[in-house]
Amino acid sequence: MSVCLSYLCNMASIAVILMNLGSPDSTKVKDVRKYLHEFLMDKRVIDYPYVFRKLLVDGIIARFRAPKSARAYRSIWWPEGSPLIVLTKKLQSALREKLDCPVEVSMRYGNPSMLSAYERLYREHKDLREVLLIPLYPHYAMSSYETAVEYAREVHRKKKYPFSLRVLKPYYHDPAYIGALADSIRPYLEEDYDQLLFSYHGVPVRHIKKGDITGHHCLQSEDCCWVHSDAHRFCYRHQVYATTRHVAQALGLTPDQYSVTFQSRLGRDPWIEPYTATELAALPQKGVRRLLVVCPAFVSDCLETLEEIAMEGKHTFMEAGGESYTVIPCMNVHPEWVKALAGWVRVAGPEDTRWRVLP
């Protein structure tokens, strides 16, 4: 307790950076193409050799996908700008009200950049000793949490800032996160529904296997996610199933009341299944006509939730014979989510194992 109290007394010398995925600067095709290039050229997103990745991204994906993606962004764009950016900044404001320290926002891709967040803190807070980095990804994946953390570390190291850097570990099973997520879902369960669908962002099968630190556990059996293994520390698939199980327990759901799928597949390589789009087309034929959908891999609503799930997903489900389709918003600025974040910051002392120092 003495460590936590000591840490709280030094809140003036720390700062927080909330790090999210990112968004194009506008819905213009050129801005979307620029964003797609930065995103997809990340070696942790498309993990092919550089030359092949560049040919694939610049020659095919960014070139032909940009106009389609620009239309998708226009369909969900708010007057204030990108929903993801707007909501992350609202979360920043809500967190500032609960903490006696600076809170900045950074995106992994696009603006505001990690460099701009660091520079603002460095200029305005000369007594800053430590930055607490909060990746807004509850689960570990090389294409989300890992790349965000490594990029933040890279910029910090390159600029040789005098303040240290500490990062929040994946919080997919933290009671505060589970409680906030369950609270955000609970009001929607008062509706008449047949099933609650947990739709998580998908990842390629090769990413799961590549992240298996044991070399012999992940995807080696049907129940690998439920058999204890050190591999689970870095296994996205295990972690999303753990989140689902904990939330279902918190909500008092029986196994037949919910299911798990994976969305946003890119390319022809095998990704973890079942695929959300496929299941949405099949559920009405299985007797699921009234569907609730939640996307716990995202804490802020974005293109993947507002367009892919709320628009395309609804069309797929209703065309297949569905009767009602409700997408539950991400936690965004839910009071319990803000409370959870503030609580983690307040106890982020040296002995709190939820945090780790980045060398």
Side-chain angles (χ1 to χ4, degrees):
M1 185 65 174
S2 60
V3 173
C4 293
L5 287 175
S6 173
Y7 197 75
L8 285 172
C9 290
N10 293 316
M11 287 287 279
S13 65
I14 71 167
V16 174
I17 296 180
L18 300 172
M19 191 174 189
N20 218 329
L21 176 68
S23 179
D25 289 334
S26 78
T27 60
K28 294 178 181 178
V29 173
K30 66 179 182 66
D31 285 336
V32 174
R33 185 179 292 117
K34 177 182 177 183
Y35 173 77
L36 288 176
H37 170 84
E38 182 183 3
F39 174 40
L40 298 175
M41 280 302 295
D42 184 342
K43 64 183 179 182
R44 290 182 173 85
V45 174
I46 297 183
D47 55 330
Y48 294 149
Y50 176 80
V51 173
F52 181 70
R53 186 167 72 248
K54 185 168 178 58
L55 289 172
L56 178 66
V57 172
D58 289 345
I60 301 176
I61 301 178
R63 180 181 177 187
F64 293 103
R65 191 180 180 90
K68 179 181 178 181
S69 293
R71 289 193 295 273
Y73 275 109
R74 282 195 290 272
S75 72
I76 57 101
W77 210 256
W78 292 348
E80 311 98 299
S82 159
L84 176 72
I85 305 294
V86 173
L87 288 167
T88 306
K89 289 183 176 180
K90 287 184 176 181
L91 182 61
Q92 173 192 24
S93 297
L95 194 55
R96 278 175 173 168
E97 293 180 3
K98 288 189 173 293
L99 297 174
D100 294 322
C101 65
V103 180
E104 291 294 337
V105 162
S106 166
M107 298 295 147
R108 171 60 182 90
Y109 314 102
N111 296 304
S113 68
M114 176 56 70
L115 179 60
S116 69
Y118 281 148
E119 285 293 311
R120 194 155 41 247
L121 290 173
Y122 179 63
R123 288 194 313 268
E124 299 176 6
H125 304 278
K126 297 301 183 182
D127 59 345
L128 183 61
R129 295 175 57 188
E130 183 175 50
V131 166
L132 301 177
L133 177 68
I134 301 180
L136 294 175
Y137 307 101
H139 314 89
Y140 193 102
M142 60 183 286
S143 55
S144 56
Y145 181 93
E146 181 181 303
T147 188
V149 171
E150 290 305 314
Y151 183 65
R153 188 209 309 258
E154 177 187 334
V155 177
H156 180 264
R157 182 184 298 159
K158 186 178 295 185
K159 298 295 290 186
K160 299 180 179 178
Y161 292 110
F163 47 79
S164 62
L165 188 60
R166 188 186 297 262
V167 63
L168 183 67
K169 296 177 184 178
Y171 39 91
Y172 64 96
H173 59 353
D174 188 284
Y177 163 71
I178 296 299
L181 181 56
D183 275 1
S184 73
I185 295 171
R186 189 171 285 107
Y188 293 87
L189 302 183
E190 297 176 4
E191 301 179 13
D192 288 330
Y193 71 98
D194 297 320
Q195 193 173 100
L196 170 62
L197 178 67
F198 289 79
S199 178
Y200 292 90
H201 198 292
V203 297
V205 168
R206 68 177 183 276
H207 284 201
I208 299 294
K209 293 181 176 179
K210 183 179 288 189
D212 183 357
I213 58 174
T214 70
H216 55 71
H217 181 80
C218 292
L219 302 178
Q220 297 302 305
S221 65
E222 290 186 4
D223 63 347
C224 61
C225 286
W226 291 270
V227 176
H228 178 73
S229 171
D230 287 341
H232 292 169
R233 287 191 292 136
F234 305 103
C235 181
Y236 177 78
R237 186 171 181 265
H238 161 77
Q239 293 182 9
V240 301
Y241 278 117
T243 292
T244 305
R245 183 176 67 254
H246 289 309
V247 171
Q249 290 174 348
L251 295 173
L253 300 177
T254 58
D256 63 319
Q257 289 181 296
Y258 66 93
S259 59
V260 174
T261 59
F262 300 92
Q263 64 183 84
S264 309
R265 182 186 179 192
L266 176 66
R268 298 182 179 179
D269 291 341
W271 283 39
I272 52 178
E273 298 184 60
Y275 301 137
T276 297
T278 302
E279 286 298 296
L280 288 177
L283 283 173
Q285 307 311 312
K286 299 177 182 178
V288 178
R289 303 295 178 88
R290 299 165 299 178
L291 187 66
L292 301 177
V293 186
V294 66
C295 302
F298 307 94
V299 300
S300 307
D301 276 305
C302 54
L303 184 71
E304 287 82 356
T305 64
L306 299 173
E307 194 272 340
E308 181 184 358
I309 297 301
M311 294 181 182
E312 288 188 15
K314 181 176 182 178
H315 177 77
T316 298
F317 182 74
M318 300 303 281
E319 283 290 303
E323 296 176 2
S324 68
Y325 181 93
T326 301
V327 176
I328 300 170
C330 294
M331 290 190 292
N332 296 321
V333 291
H334 191 284
E336 289 301 310
W337 172 226
V338 178
K339 181 180 176 181
L341 290 169
W344 293 333
V345 170
R346 291 195 187 103
V347 296
E351 294 183 355
D352 192 329
T353 57
R354 279 171 291 203
W355 299 84
R356 67 183 176 96
V357 175
L358 293 181

